[in-house]
């Protein structure tokens, strides 16, 4: 009887889900340039719901918000398309698939230049059916990302301002989509 009770103690939902914690640790190297994310530790059982930039559902302990804002820029001075100090990198959006309850994803100011081929945001459309807010402002994104973003039908707010869109002139400056 004691063995059964002891085993159940390790099954509590006081911490985030282990596979989500591991996924966050896999994401960490891509977002530690300026912000070391020191609270993101590789200690088994560490509660990722208490980590910097992470918010979880208080009942299910699943991740519902991830804020990785401006992890790549040297400082927080006013953004300039001509004064970027990092080379763009390509995001593997499928790395966010384990976060099935994710509602808000903030990736502003990370020098993201696009998606890896066949690993775009469109791949998330079925799994991340709760994603309502996506902030990709202040990156290196161009027109090529628009098709994969169009598949995210649950979005209520999409911020693509200050990227490198070449289409119509309104895409060059601020572009935000708000659905009611």
């Amino acid at each position: 009887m004691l063995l059964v009770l002891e085993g159940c103690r390790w099954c509590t939902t006081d911490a985030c889900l282990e596979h989500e914690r591991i996924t966050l640790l896999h994401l960490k190297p891509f977002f530690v340039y300026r912000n070391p994310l020191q609270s993101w530790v590789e200690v088994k059982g560490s509660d990722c719901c208490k980590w910097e930039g992470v918010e979880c559902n208080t009942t299910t302990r699943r991740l519902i918000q991830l804020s990785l804002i401006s992890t790549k820029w040297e400082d927080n001075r006013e953004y300039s398309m001509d004064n970027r100090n990092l080379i763009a990198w390509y995001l593997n959006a499928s790395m966010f698939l384990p976060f099935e309850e994710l509602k808000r994803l903030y990736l502003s100011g990370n020098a993201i230049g696009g998606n890896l081929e066949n690993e775009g945001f469109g791949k998330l459309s079925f799994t991340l059916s709760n994603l309502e807010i996506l902030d990709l402002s202040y990156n290196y994104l161009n027109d090529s990302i628009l098709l994969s973003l169009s598949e995210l039908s649950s979005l209520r707010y999409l911020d693509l301002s200050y990227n490198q869109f070449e289409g119509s002139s309104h895409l060059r400056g601020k572009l935000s989509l708000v659905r009611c």
Side-chain angles (χ1 to χ4, degrees):
M1 181 73 150
L2 180 62
L3 179 61
V4 171
L5 291 175
E6 185 67 23
C8 282
R9 191 177 78 175
W10 298 105
C11 300
T12 64
T13 58
D14 291 341
C16 62
L17 299 181
E18 182 67 8
H19 75 280
E20 290 189 350
R21 184 185 72 81
I22 290 169
T23 300
L24 287 170
L25 291 172
H26 286 268
L27 282 169
K28 182 179 177 178
F30 299 103
F31 296 97
V32 294
Y33 180 75
R34 195 177 68 81
N35 180 353
L37 299 171
Q38 293 176 353
S39 61
W40 294 31
V41 293
E42 286 196 52
V43 176
K44 186 170 175 70
S46 173
D47 186 3
C48 63
C49 294
K50 296 178 181 173
W51 290 358
E52 177 185 352
V54 176
E55 182 182 330
C56 295
N57 178 309
T58 55
T59 305
T60 65
R61 306 302 291 167
R62 298 211 63 160
L63 193 132
I64 58 171
Q65 178 174 307
L66 184 56
S67 298
L68 295 167
I69 298 173
S70 298
T71 63
K72 295 285 186 179
W73 302 111
E74 292 283 343
D75 55 41
N76 287 328
R77 283 185 256 165
E78 187 172 322
Y79 179 83
S80 167
M81 291 298 284
D82 298 325
N83 277 334
R84 295 185 179 196
N85 30 354
L86 290 179
I87 297 172
W89 60 284
Y90 291 86
L91 178 69
N92 179 351
S94 66
M95 292 182 76
F96 297 99
L97 286 172
F99 308 129
E100 294 176 13
E101 288 187 24
L102 187 65
K103 292 182 179 187
R104 298 174 298 276
L105 180 57
Y106 299 96
L107 298 174
S108 177
N110 283 297
I112 300 169
N115 299 313
L116 291 176
E117 189 173 342
N118 299 319
E119 299 299 333
F121 285 97
K123 193 168 191 136
L124 305 178
S125 61
F126 296 110
T127 306
L128 297 185
S129 59
N130 296 314
L131 188 63
E132 296 175 350
I133 298 173
L134 179 59
D135 184 352
L136 294 170
S137 59
Y138 295 96
N139 281 293
Y140 289 119
L141 300 171
N142 59 37
D143 299 4
S144 66
I145 196 170
L146 295 175
L147 183 60
S148 69
L149 290 174
S150 69
E151 297 179 40
L152 294 171
S153 60
S154 62
L155 283 183
R156 298 290 172 248
Y157 179 82
L158 172 63
D159 190 345
L160 296 173
S161 59
Y162 298 100
N163 277 285
Q164 297 181 335
F165 295 104
E166 294 182 13
S168 59
S169 60
H170 73 278
L171 289 175
R172 290 191 192 115
K174 295 185 176 187
L175 174 64
S176 299
L177 165 72
V178 179
R179 284 188 200 154
C180 297

